[in-house]
Amino acid sequence: YAADIFFSQKWQDYRLRFPDNLTDEYRLLPTAWLQSMWRPDSFFKNAKKVTFQDVTIPNHYIWLYKDKSILYMVK
């Protein structure tokens, strides 16, 4: 069988520094940040085969919150 899923991870990174004028509770980051940011290693323990969907528009989402937590979602 095959399944399409939205995979999400949330973690805190206390190394982050914010500009003084950040007043919003969170900010949606551009997907270009994925090349330069640290992400936890993820794997599916019992997976026989894993493929990632290749599309013209990336389907990654990154939210950065004021408490230095990051929410990352990918399809």
Side-chain angles (χ1 to χ4, degrees):
Y1 64 91
D4 289 333
I5 62 168
F6 277 96
F7 179 68
S8 66
Q9 293 178 292
K10 189 172 185 177
W11 67 92
Q12 288 188 314
D13 192 341
Y14 294 104
R15 299 171 292 177
L16 294 171
R17 291 189 212 165
F18 295 104
D20 294 332
N21 61 354
L22 181 65
T23 57
D24 298 331
E25 190 62 33
Y26 67 92
R27 183 169 289 179
L28 186 60
L29 299 177
T31 56
W33 281 51
L34 286 172
Q35 282 86 30
S36 60
M37 69 182 288
W38 177 86
R39 288 177 284 165
D41 290 332
S42 304
F43 62 93
F44 295 94
K45 186 175 182 179
N46 296 323
K48 302 239 184 247
K49 180 181 175 186
V50 176
T51 58
F52 289 94
Q53 184 181 31
D54 292 324
V55 293
T56 55
I57 300 171
N59 49 10
H60 300 265
Y61 303 96
I62 311 163
W63 287 270
L64 176 61
Y65 291 88
K66 278 180 105 171
D67 67 351
K68 298 189 178 186
S69 62
I70 298 168
L71 174 63
Y72 171 66
M73 290 185 71
V74 63
K75 181 176 180 183

